[in-house]
Every structure is written in structure tokens, then in C-alpha cells.
mmCIF file of all heavy atoms in Angstrom:
data_model
loop_
_atom_site.group_PDB
_atom_site.id
_atom_site.type_symbol
_atom_site.label_atom_id
_atom_site.label_comp_id
_atom_site.label_asym_id
_atom_site.label_seq_id
_atom_site.Cartn_x
_atom_site.Cartn_y
_atom_site.Cartn_z
ATOM 1 N N ALA A 223 -27.341 -3.165 -7.004
ATOM 2 C CA ALA A 223 -27.840 -3.204 -8.382
ATOM 3 C C ALA A 223 -28.711 -1.989 -8.686
ATOM 4 O O ALA A 223 -28.646 -1.400 -9.780
ATOM 5 C CB ALA A 223 -28.625 -4.492 -8.596
ATOM 6 N N LEU A 224 -29.532 -1.580 -7.687
ATOM 7 C CA LEU A 224 -30.410 -0.426 -7.901
ATOM 8 C C LEU A 224 -29.619 0.881 -8.000
ATOM 9 O O LEU A 224 -30.047 1.819 -8.708
ATOM 10 C CB LEU A 224 -31.424 -0.320 -6.760
ATOM 11 C CG LEU A 224 -32.478 -1.441 -6.707
ATOM 12 C CD1 LEU A 224 -33.309 -1.328 -5.440
ATOM 13 C CD2 LEU A 224 -33.378 -1.368 -7.953
ATOM 14 N N MET A 225 -28.484 0.969 -7.258
ATOM 15 C CA MET A 225 -27.692 2.195 -7.290
ATOM 16 C C MET A 225 -27.108 2.469 -8.676
ATOM 17 O O MET A 225 -26.799 3.607 -9.022
ATOM 18 C CB MET A 225 -26.567 2.119 -6.252
ATOM 19 C CG MET A 225 -27.084 2.233 -4.817
ATOM 20 S SD MET A 225 -25.796 1.966 -3.596
ATOM 21 C CE MET A 225 -24.813 3.433 -3.837
ATOM 22 N N LYS A 226 -26.973 1.425 -9.483
ATOM 23 C CA LYS A 226 -26.440 1.605 -10.833
ATOM 24 C C LYS A 226 -27.496 2.150 -11.790
ATOM 25 O O LYS A 226 -27.183 2.619 -12.872
ATOM 26 C CB LYS A 226 -25.907 0.270 -11.358
ATOM 27 C CG LYS A 226 -24.710 -0.232 -10.593
ATOM 28 C CD LYS A 226 -24.237 -1.587 -11.125
ATOM 29 C CE LYS A 226 -23.035 -2.091 -10.337
ATOM 30 N NZ LYS A 226 -22.572 -3.406 -10.816
ATOM 31 N N GLU A 227 -28.781 2.093 -11.380
ATOM 32 C CA GLU A 227 -29.870 2.533 -12.255
ATOM 33 C C GLU A 227 -30.354 3.934 -11.908
ATOM 34 O O GLU A 227 -31.367 4.399 -12.419
ATOM 35 C CB GLU A 227 -31.054 1.552 -12.143
ATOM 36 C CG GLU A 227 -30.699 0.135 -12.546
ATOM 37 C CD GLU A 227 -31.841 -0.823 -12.300
ATOM 38 O OE1 GLU A 227 -32.908 -0.354 -11.814
ATOM 39 O OE2 GLU A 227 -31.685 -2.023 -12.586
ATOM 40 N N CYS A 228 -29.674 4.644 -11.031
ATOM 41 C CA CYS A 228 -30.128 5.976 -10.616
ATOM 42 C C CYS A 228 -29.915 6.990 -11.731
ATOM 43 O O CYS A 228 -29.080 6.794 -12.618
ATOM 44 C CB CYS A 228 -29.402 6.409 -9.353
ATOM 45 S SG CYS A 228 -27.642 6.715 -9.640
ATOM 46 N N ASP A 229 -30.649 8.116 -11.635
ATOM 47 C CA ASP A 229 -30.509 9.162 -12.654
ATOM 48 C C ASP A 229 -30.263 10.520 -12.046
ATOM 49 O O ASP A 229 -30.443 11.547 -12.683
ATOM 50 C CB ASP A 229 -31.784 9.202 -13.508
ATOM 51 C CG ASP A 229 -33.040 9.365 -12.656
ATOM 52 O OD1 ASP A 229 -32.889 9.518 -11.417
ATOM 53 O OD2 ASP A 229 -34.135 9.336 -13.226
ATOM 54 N N ASN A 230 -29.887 10.539 -10.767
ATOM 55 C CA ASN A 230 -29.689 11.815 -10.081
ATOM 56 C C ASN A 230 -28.281 11.860 -9.501
ATOM 57 O O ASN A 230 -28.008 11.267 -8.475
ATOM 58 C CB ASN A 230 -30.738 11.981 -8.975
ATOM 59 C CG ASN A 230 -30.609 13.335 -8.276
ATOM 60 O OD1 ASN A 230 -29.922 14.226 -8.773
ATOM 61 N ND2 ASN A 230 -31.272 13.475 -7.139
ATOM 62 N N GLY A 231 -27.397 12.548 -10.168
ATOM 63 C CA GLY A 231 -26.037 12.689 -9.679
ATOM 64 C C GLY A 231 -25.720 14.147 -9.413
ATOM 65 O O GLY A 231 -26.104 15.025 -10.201
ATOM 66 N N SER A 232 -25.049 14.426 -8.305
ATOM 67 C CA SER A 232 -24.684 15.809 -7.967
ATOM 68 C C SER A 232 -23.306 15.820 -7.352
ATOM 69 O O SER A 232 -22.854 14.843 -6.758
ATOM 70 C CB SER A 232 -25.714 16.415 -7.002
ATOM 71 O OG SER A 232 -25.638 15.775 -5.740
ATOM 72 N N ALA A 233 -22.650 16.970 -7.525
ATOM 73 C CA ALA A 233 -21.291 17.108 -6.989
ATOM 74 C C ALA A 233 -21.299 17.041 -5.476
ATOM 75 O O ALA A 233 -20.400 16.470 -4.845
ATOM 76 C CB ALA A 233 -20.673 18.412 -7.474
ATOM 77 N N LEU A 234 -22.323 17.645 -4.830
ATOM 78 C CA LEU A 234 -22.388 17.641 -3.373
ATOM 79 C C LEU A 234 -22.557 16.233 -2.836
ATOM 80 O O LEU A 234 -21.885 15.828 -1.882
ATOM 81 C CB LEU A 234 -23.554 18.527 -2.903
ATOM 82 C CG LEU A 234 -23.772 18.587 -1.386
ATOM 83 C CD1 LEU A 234 -22.537 19.135 -0.695
ATOM 84 C CD2 LEU A 234 -25.005 19.428 -1.052
ATOM 85 N N ALA A 235 -23.466 15.460 -3.485
ATOM 86 C CA ALA A 235 -23.681 14.089 -3.030
ATOM 87 C C ALA A 235 -22.423 13.254 -3.200
ATOM 88 O O ALA A 235 -22.068 12.431 -2.333
ATOM 89 C CB ALA A 235 -24.851 13.479 -3.802
ATOM 90 N N SER A 236 -21.720 13.459 -4.317
ATOM 91 C CA SER A 236 -20.479 12.713 -4.540
ATOM 92 C C SER A 236 -19.422 13.094 -3.522
ATOM 93 O O SER A 236 -18.683 12.246 -3.008
ATOM 94 C CB SER A 236 -19.970 12.984 -5.960
ATOM 95 O OG SER A 236 -20.896 12.524 -6.922
ATOM 96 N N ALA A 237 -19.349 14.401 -3.215
ATOM 97 C CA ALA A 237 -18.367 14.854 -2.231
ATOM 98 C C ALA A 237 -18.662 14.258 -0.856
ATOM 99 O O ALA A 237 -17.755 13.812 -0.137
ATOM 100 C CB ALA A 237 -18.366 16.379 -2.166
ATOM 101 N N LEU A 238 -19.970 14.261 -0.477
ATOM 102 C CA LEU A 238 -20.330 13.657 0.810
ATOM 103 C C LEU A 238 -20.028 12.159 0.827
ATOM 104 O O LEU A 238 -19.580 11.614 1.832
ATOM 105 C CB LEU A 238 -21.818 13.900 1.091
ATOM 106 C CG LEU A 238 -22.212 15.350 1.410
ATOM 107 C CD1 LEU A 238 -23.729 15.480 1.478
ATOM 108 C CD2 LEU A 238 -21.583 15.793 2.723
ATOM 109 N N TYR A 239 -20.325 11.517 -0.308
ATOM 110 C CA TYR A 239 -20.046 10.074 -0.415
ATOM 111 C C TYR A 239 -18.554 9.796 -0.224
ATOM 112 O O TYR A 239 -18.146 8.889 0.526
ATOM 113 C CB TYR A 239 -20.535 9.570 -1.771
ATOM 114 C CG TYR A 239 -20.467 8.062 -1.920
ATOM 115 C CD1 TYR A 239 -21.564 7.276 -1.636
ATOM 116 C CD2 TYR A 239 -19.302 7.434 -2.353
ATOM 117 C CE1 TYR A 239 -21.521 5.889 -1.774
ATOM 118 C CE2 TYR A 239 -19.238 6.050 -2.487
ATOM 119 C CZ TYR A 239 -20.352 5.289 -2.201
ATOM 120 O OH TYR A 239 -20.291 3.932 -2.340
ATOM 121 N N LEU A 240 -17.718 10.586 -0.920
ATOM 122 C CA LEU A 240 -16.268 10.399 -0.811
ATOM 123 C C LEU A 240 -15.773 10.724 0.595
ATOM 124 O O LEU A 240 -14.826 10.098 1.085
ATOM 125 C CB LEU A 240 -15.558 11.277 -1.850
ATOM 126 C CG LEU A 240 -15.813 10.894 -3.318
ATOM 127 C CD1 LEU A 240 -15.154 11.920 -4.259
ATOM 128 C CD2 LEU A 240 -15.268 9.493 -3.610
ATOM 129 N N GLN A 241 -16.443 11.708 1.247
ATOM 130 C CA GLN A 241 -16.067 12.034 2.626
ATOM 131 C C GLN A 241 -16.344 10.842 3.552
ATOM 132 O O GLN A 241 -15.526 10.494 4.402
ATOM 133 C CB GLN A 241 -16.858 13.264 3.087
ATOM 134 C CG GLN A 241 -16.666 13.640 4.551
ATOM 135 C CD GLN A 241 -15.239 14.044 4.874
ATOM 136 O OE1 GLN A 241 -14.531 14.591 4.002
ATOM 137 N NE2 GLN A 241 -14.803 13.765 6.104
ATOM 138 N N LYS A 242 -17.509 10.198 3.352
ATOM 139 C CA LYS A 242 -17.838 9.033 4.163
ATOM 140 C C LYS A 242 -16.886 7.868 3.873
ATOM 141 O O LYS A 242 -16.539 7.087 4.757
ATOM 142 C CB LYS A 242 -19.285 8.596 3.914
ATOM 143 C CG LYS A 242 -20.313 9.624 4.379
ATOM 144 C CD LYS A 242 -20.108 9.898 5.869
ATOM 145 C CE LYS A 242 -20.890 11.098 6.327
ATOM 146 N NZ LYS A 242 -20.582 11.457 7.734
ATOM 147 N N GLU A 243 -16.467 7.787 2.638
ATOM 148 C CA GLU A 243 -15.496 6.759 2.268
ATOM 149 C C GLU A 243 -14.177 6.964 3.007
ATOM 150 O O GLU A 243 -13.557 6.006 3.511
ATOM 151 C CB GLU A 243 -15.292 6.802 0.755
ATOM 152 C CG GLU A 243 -14.564 5.601 0.193
ATOM 153 C CD GLU A 243 -14.468 5.694 -1.318
ATOM 154 O OE1 GLU A 243 -13.980 6.734 -1.823
ATOM 155 O OE2 GLU A 243 -14.878 4.740 -1.985
ATOM 156 N N LYS A 244 -13.736 8.236 3.110
ATOM 157 C CA LYS A 244 -12.503 8.547 3.855
ATOM 158 C C LYS A 244 -12.672 8.237 5.341
ATOM 159 O O LYS A 244 -11.753 7.729 5.994
ATOM 160 C CB LYS A 244 -12.141 10.019 3.667
ATOM 161 C CG LYS A 244 -11.667 10.363 2.264
ATOM 162 C CD LYS A 244 -11.337 11.841 2.156
ATOM 163 C CE LYS A 244 -10.861 12.191 0.743
ATOM 164 N NZ LYS A 244 -10.585 13.637 0.591
ATOM 165 N N GLU A 245 -13.879 8.583 5.860
ATOM 166 C CA GLU A 245 -14.129 8.279 7.273
ATOM 167 C C GLU A 245 -14.063 6.777 7.522
ATOM 168 O O GLU A 245 -13.577 6.324 8.567
ATOM 169 C CB GLU A 245 -15.499 8.829 7.685
ATOM 170 C CG GLU A 245 -15.549 10.340 7.749
ATOM 171 C CD GLU A 245 -16.942 10.854 8.047
ATOM 172 O OE1 GLU A 245 -17.844 10.014 8.290
ATOM 173 O OE2 GLU A 245 -17.136 12.076 8.060
ATOM 174 N N PHE A 246 -14.571 5.986 6.570
ATOM 175 C CA PHE A 246 -14.487 4.531 6.707
ATOM 176 C C PHE A 246 -13.032 4.058 6.707
ATOM 177 O O PHE A 246 -12.657 3.166 7.483
ATOM 178 C CB PHE A 246 -15.264 3.859 5.574
ATOM 179 C CG PHE A 246 -15.116 2.370 5.555
ATOM 180 C CD1 PHE A 246 -15.646 1.580 6.560
ATOM 181 C CD2 PHE A 246 -14.397 1.751 4.541
ATOM 182 C CE1 PHE A 246 -15.495 0.201 6.545
ATOM 183 C CE2 PHE A 246 -14.243 0.368 4.525
ATOM 184 C CZ PHE A 246 -14.792 -0.413 5.530
ATOM 185 N N MET A 247 -12.198 4.675 5.849
ATOM 186 C CA MET A 247 -10.780 4.317 5.820
ATOM 187 C C MET A 247 -10.113 4.665 7.162
ATOM 188 O O MET A 247 -9.276 3.910 7.669
ATOM 189 C CB MET A 247 -10.084 5.028 4.662
ATOM 190 C CG MET A 247 -10.626 4.651 3.282
ATOM 191 S SD MET A 247 -10.564 2.866 2.965
ATOM 192 C CE MET A 247 -8.806 2.595 2.954
ATOM 193 N N LEU A 248 -10.506 5.839 7.708
ATOM 194 C CA LEU A 248 -9.978 6.214 9.028
ATOM 195 C C LEU A 248 -10.428 5.212 10.098
ATOM 196 O O LEU A 248 -9.663 4.873 11.005
ATOM 197 C CB LEU A 248 -10.450 7.628 9.396
ATOM 198 C CG LEU A 248 -9.852 8.769 8.577
ATOM 199 C CD1 LEU A 248 -10.521 10.094 8.948
ATOM 200 C CD2 LEU A 248 -8.340 8.861 8.807
ATOM 201 N N TYR A 249 -11.693 4.748 9.975
ATOM 202 C CA TYR A 249 -12.197 3.740 10.911
ATOM 203 C C TYR A 249 -11.360 2.465 10.821
ATOM 204 O O TYR A 249 -10.982 1.879 11.847
ATOM 205 C CB TYR A 249 -13.669 3.449 10.601
ATOM 206 C CG TYR A 249 -14.173 2.194 11.254
ATOM 207 C CD1 TYR A 249 -14.536 2.186 12.601
ATOM 208 C CD2 TYR A 249 -14.260 0.995 10.535
ATOM 209 C CE1 TYR A 249 -14.992 1.029 13.204
ATOM 210 C CE2 TYR A 249 -14.708 -0.167 11.151
ATOM 211 C CZ TYR A 249 -15.072 -0.147 12.473
ATOM 212 O OH TYR A 249 -15.503 -1.292 13.080
ATOM 213 N N LYS A 250 -11.072 2.032 9.597
ATOM 214 C CA LYS A 250 -10.272 0.826 9.416
ATOM 215 C C LYS A 250 -8.882 0.982 10.017
ATOM 216 O O LYS A 250 -8.356 0.058 10.653
ATOM 217 C CB LYS A 250 -10.176 0.485 7.923
ATOM 218 C CG LYS A 250 -11.475 -0.048 7.326
ATOM 219 C CD LYS A 250 -11.327 -0.356 5.843
ATOM 220 C CE LYS A 250 -10.368 -1.503 5.617
ATOM 221 N NZ LYS A 250 -10.294 -1.866 4.177
ATOM 222 N N GLU A 251 -8.284 2.166 9.809
ATOM 223 C CA GLU A 251 -6.962 2.403 10.390
ATOM 224 C C GLU A 251 -7.014 2.388 11.918
ATOM 225 O O GLU A 251 -6.144 1.828 12.577
ATOM 226 C CB GLU A 251 -6.407 3.753 9.901
ATOM 227 C CG GLU A 251 -5.941 3.746 8.455
ATOM 228 C CD GLU A 251 -4.744 2.822 8.256
ATOM 229 O OE1 GLU A 251 -3.857 2.794 9.129
ATOM 230 O OE2 GLU A 251 -4.704 2.121 7.229
ATOM 231 N N ARG A 252 -8.082 3.016 12.445
ATOM 232 C CA ARG A 252 -8.214 3.031 13.912
ATOM 233 C C ARG A 252 -8.376 1.617 14.467
ATOM 234 O O ARG A 252 -7.768 1.242 15.477
ATOM 235 C CB ARG A 252 -9.409 3.888 14.310
ATOM 236 C CG ARG A 252 -9.653 3.937 15.827
ATOM 237 C CD ARG A 252 -10.679 4.987 16.166
ATOM 238 N NE ARG A 252 -11.971 4.687 15.596
ATOM 239 C CZ ARG A 252 -12.862 3.848 16.133
ATOM 240 N NH1 ARG A 252 -12.579 3.206 17.253
ATOM 241 N NH2 ARG A 252 -14.038 3.666 15.566
ATOM 242 N N VAL A 253 -9.232 0.820 13.789
ATOM 243 C CA VAL A 253 -9.442 -0.566 14.235
ATOM 244 C C VAL A 253 -8.145 -1.357 14.161
ATOM 245 O O VAL A 253 -7.823 -2.159 15.048
ATOM 246 C CB VAL A 253 -10.550 -1.230 13.388
ATOM 247 C CG1 VAL A 253 -10.606 -2.729 13.654
ATOM 248 C CG2 VAL A 253 -11.894 -0.590 13.674
ATOM 249 N N LYS A 254 -7.391 -1.102 13.088
ATOM 250 C CA LYS A 254 -6.109 -1.791 12.928
ATOM 251 C C LYS A 254 -5.163 -1.443 14.066
ATOM 252 O O LYS A 254 -4.516 -2.320 14.666
ATOM 253 C CB LYS A 254 -5.502 -1.412 11.578
ATOM 254 C CG LYS A 254 -4.203 -2.108 11.261
ATOM 255 C CD LYS A 254 -3.695 -1.675 9.894
ATOM 256 C CE LYS A 254 -2.357 -2.328 9.563
ATOM 257 N NZ LYS A 254 -1.849 -1.878 8.237
ATOM 258 N N HIS A 255 -5.089 -0.145 14.375
ATOM 259 C CA HIS A 255 -4.212 0.295 15.470
ATOM 260 C C HIS A 255 -4.682 -0.274 16.806
ATOM 261 O O HIS A 255 -3.872 -0.656 17.653
ATOM 262 C CB HIS A 255 -4.170 1.826 15.530
ATOM 263 C CG HIS A 255 -3.459 2.431 14.361
ATOM 264 N ND1 HIS A 255 -3.666 3.736 13.954
ATOM 265 C CD2 HIS A 255 -2.557 1.911 13.494
ATOM 266 C CE1 HIS A 255 -2.921 3.993 12.906
ATOM 267 N NE2 HIS A 255 -2.231 2.910 12.599
ATOM 268 N N GLU A 256 -6.026 -0.300 16.987
ATOM 269 C CA GLU A 256 -6.554 -0.848 18.235
ATOM 270 C C GLU A 256 -6.222 -2.334 18.370
ATOM 271 O O GLU A 256 -5.906 -2.818 19.460
ATOM 272 C CB GLU A 256 -8.066 -0.636 18.296
ATOM 273 C CG GLU A 256 -8.458 0.809 18.570
ATOM 274 C CD GLU A 256 -9.962 1.000 18.550
ATOM 275 O OE1 GLU A 256 -10.679 0.030 18.184
ATOM 276 O OE2 GLU A 256 -10.419 2.108 18.882
ATOM 277 N N ARG A 257 -6.302 -3.050 17.249
ATOM 278 C CA ARG A 257 -5.940 -4.469 17.292
ATOM 279 C C ARG A 257 -4.484 -4.651 17.684
ATOM 280 O O ARG A 257 -4.149 -5.519 18.491
ATOM 281 C CB ARG A 257 -6.211 -5.110 15.931
ATOM 282 C CG ARG A 257 -7.688 -5.335 15.644
ATOM 283 C CD ARG A 257 -7.896 -5.877 14.256
ATOM 284 N NE ARG A 257 -9.319 -6.090 13.965
ATOM 285 C CZ ARG A 257 -9.785 -6.401 12.768
ATOM 286 N NH1 ARG A 257 -8.945 -6.530 11.733
ATOM 287 N NH2 ARG A 257 -11.086 -6.578 12.586
ATOM 288 N N TYR A 258 -3.621 -3.827 17.073
ATOM 289 C CA TYR A 258 -2.206 -3.890 17.448
ATOM 290 C C TYR A 258 -2.024 -3.560 18.933
ATOM 291 O O TYR A 258 -1.225 -4.196 19.635
ATOM 292 C CB TYR A 258 -1.387 -2.929 16.596
ATOM 293 C CG TYR A 258 -1.191 -3.381 15.166
ATOM 294 C CD1 TYR A 258 -1.064 -2.452 14.132
ATOM 295 C CD2 TYR A 258 -1.138 -4.721 14.834
ATOM 296 C CE1 TYR A 258 -0.884 -2.867 12.813
ATOM 297 C CE2 TYR A 258 -0.964 -5.142 13.528
ATOM 298 C CZ TYR A 258 -0.838 -4.207 12.517
ATOM 299 O OH TYR A 258 -0.661 -4.616 11.234
ATOM 300 N N LEU A 259 -2.790 -2.541 19.375
ATOM 301 C CA LEU A 259 -2.683 -2.142 20.777
ATOM 302 C C LEU A 259 -3.146 -3.271 21.698
ATOM 303 O O LEU A 259 -2.486 -3.609 22.682
ATOM 304 C CB LEU A 259 -3.522 -0.890 21.021
ATOM 305 C CG LEU A 259 -3.582 -0.393 22.476
ATOM 306 C CD1 LEU A 259 -2.190 -0.013 22.967
ATOM 307 C CD2 LEU A 259 -4.538 0.793 22.598
ATOM 308 N N TYR A 260 -4.326 -3.876 21.350
ATOM 309 C CA TYR A 260 -4.834 -4.967 22.181
ATOM 310 C C TYR A 260 -3.892 -6.172 22.156
ATOM 311 O O TYR A 260 -3.677 -6.832 23.176
ATOM 312 C CB TYR A 260 -6.221 -5.384 21.703
ATOM 313 C CG TYR A 260 -7.282 -4.323 21.892
ATOM 314 C CD1 TYR A 260 -8.350 -4.216 21.012
ATOM 315 C CD2 TYR A 260 -7.203 -3.418 22.942
ATOM 316 C CE1 TYR A 260 -9.326 -3.239 21.180
ATOM 317 C CE2 TYR A 260 -8.162 -2.439 23.118
ATOM 318 C CZ TYR A 260 -9.215 -2.345 22.232
ATOM 319 O OH TYR A 260 -10.163 -1.394 22.402
ATOM 320 N N ALA A 261 -3.336 -6.437 20.952
ATOM 321 C CA ALA A 261 -2.380 -7.543 20.861
ATOM 322 C C ALA A 261 -1.150 -7.262 21.717
ATOM 323 O O ALA A 261 -0.636 -8.142 22.425
ATOM 324 C CB ALA A 261 -1.980 -7.772 19.412
ATOM 325 N N GLY A 262 -0.678 -5.995 21.649
ATOM 326 C CA GLY A 262 0.477 -5.624 22.477
ATOM 327 C C GLY A 262 0.170 -5.732 23.958
ATOM 328 O O GLY A 262 0.987 -6.222 24.744
ATOM 329 N N LEU A 263 -1.058 -5.248 24.331
ATOM 330 C CA LEU A 263 -1.446 -5.352 25.740
ATOM 331 C C LEU A 263 -1.571 -6.805 26.182
ATOM 332 O O LEU A 263 -1.191 -7.163 27.299
ATOM 333 C CB LEU A 263 -2.779 -4.632 25.962
ATOM 334 C CG LEU A 263 -2.738 -3.100 25.868
ATOM 335 C CD1 LEU A 263 -4.143 -2.536 25.956
ATOM 336 C CD2 LEU A 263 -1.855 -2.517 26.957
ATOM 337 N N LEU A 264 -2.110 -7.647 25.276
ATOM 338 C CA LEU A 264 -2.222 -9.070 25.600
ATOM 339 C C LEU A 264 -0.849 -9.700 25.799
ATOM 340 O O LEU A 264 -0.619 -10.434 26.773
ATOM 341 C CB LEU A 264 -2.985 -9.794 24.488
ATOM 342 C CG LEU A 264 -3.154 -11.304 24.667
ATOM 343 C CD1 LEU A 264 -3.951 -11.612 25.926
ATOM 344 C CD2 LEU A 264 -3.831 -11.919 23.449
ATOM 345 N N ILE A 265 0.064 -9.384 24.867
ATOM 346 C CA ILE A 265 1.430 -9.928 24.984
ATOM 347 C C ILE A 265 2.093 -9.416 26.248
ATOM 348 O O ILE A 265 2.767 -10.160 26.973
ATOM 349 C CB ILE A 265 2.248 -9.557 23.733
ATOM 350 C CG1 ILE A 265 1.678 -10.291 22.502
ATOM 351 C CG2 ILE A 265 3.719 -9.918 23.922
ATOM 352 C CD1 ILE A 265 2.278 -9.835 21.197
ATOM 353 N N LEU A 266 1.878 -8.102 26.517
ATOM 354 C CA LEU A 266 2.463 -7.523 27.732
ATOM 355 C C LEU A 266 1.884 -8.178 28.980
ATOM 356 O O LEU A 266 2.616 -8.485 29.931
ATOM 357 C CB LEU A 266 2.197 -6.017 27.756
ATOM 358 C CG LEU A 266 2.748 -5.253 28.969
ATOM 359 C CD1 LEU A 266 4.269 -5.377 29.046
ATOM 360 C CD2 LEU A 266 2.343 -3.785 28.909
ATOM 361 N N SER A 267 0.553 -8.398 28.967
ATOM 362 C CA SER A 267 -0.080 -9.049 30.122
ATOM 363 C C SER A 267 0.455 -10.467 30.310
ATOM 364 O O SER A 267 0.729 -10.892 31.437
ATOM 365 C CB SER A 267 -1.598 -9.096 29.926
ATOM 366 O OG SER A 267 -2.113 -7.793 29.804
ATOM 367 N N MET A 268 0.609 -11.186 29.181
ATOM 368 C CA MET A 268 1.157 -12.543 29.275
ATOM 369 C C MET A 268 2.584 -12.515 29.796
ATOM 370 O O MET A 268 2.976 -13.344 30.629
ATOM 371 C CB MET A 268 1.103 -13.210 27.908
ATOM 372 C CG MET A 268 -0.307 -13.535 27.431
ATOM 373 S SD MET A 268 -0.347 -14.204 25.761
ATOM 374 C CE MET A 268 0.517 -15.751 26.005
ATOM 375 N N ALA A 269 3.358 -11.531 29.292
ATOM 376 C CA ALA A 269 4.750 -11.419 29.756
ATOM 377 C C ALA A 269 4.795 -11.112 31.251
ATOM 378 O O ALA A 269 5.583 -11.702 31.998
ATOM 379 C CB ALA A 269 5.483 -10.339 28.965
ATOM 380 N N LEU A 270 3.912 -10.180 31.669
ATOM 381 C CA LEU A 270 3.865 -9.852 33.099
ATOM 382 C C LEU A 270 3.425 -11.062 33.919
ATOM 383 O O LEU A 270 3.949 -11.305 35.007
ATOM 384 C CB LEU A 270 2.900 -8.684 33.330
ATOM 385 C CG LEU A 270 3.370 -7.317 32.831
ATOM 386 C CD1 LEU A 270 2.270 -6.282 32.996
ATOM 387 C CD2 LEU A 270 4.623 -6.863 33.572
#
């Protein structure tokens, strides 16, 4: 709620913010891949 009341906006801050947003998306993709990997390893371990 407080972030909506700010009065200081800059292109650099927005660019950094968007960069962190992309990093978060990369984190989500990595976690997703890791889950698939762990699930595959679990299935493989069960199969073995």
C-alpha cells in the first residue's frame, strides 16, 4: 500500500526492478526444472 504512495520514480530504479523480476522468473524456472529432476530421480530410484 505504501509503494503506491511514493513520489520518486526513476528509469534506473525501474530497470533494476524489472531486472530483479526477470531473475525471479529465472528462479521459478530453475525450481521447476529441479522439481522435475528430483521427481525423475525419485521415479528412477523407485524403478531401480
Side-chain angles (χ1 to χ4, degrees):
L224 292 173
M225 288 174 69
K226 294 178 181 179
E227 300 175 0
C228 68
D229 54 4
N230 183 14
S232 68
L234 178 60
S236 297
L238 290 172
Y239 188 94
L240 294 175
Q241 174 64 31
K242 294 302 168 186
E243 193 177 54
K244 290 180 180 178
E245 290 175 5
F246 174 68
M247 298 304 295
L248 291 174
Y249 165 79
K250 288 179 66 176
E251 286 295 320
R252 178 170 64 82
V253 170
K254 183 179 178 181
H255 291 158
E256 286 177 353
R257 286 176 180 171
Y258 287 149
L259 176 62
Y260 294 149
L263 290 174
L264 179 62
I265 293 171
L266 180 61
S267 300
M268 291 176 65
L270 289 174

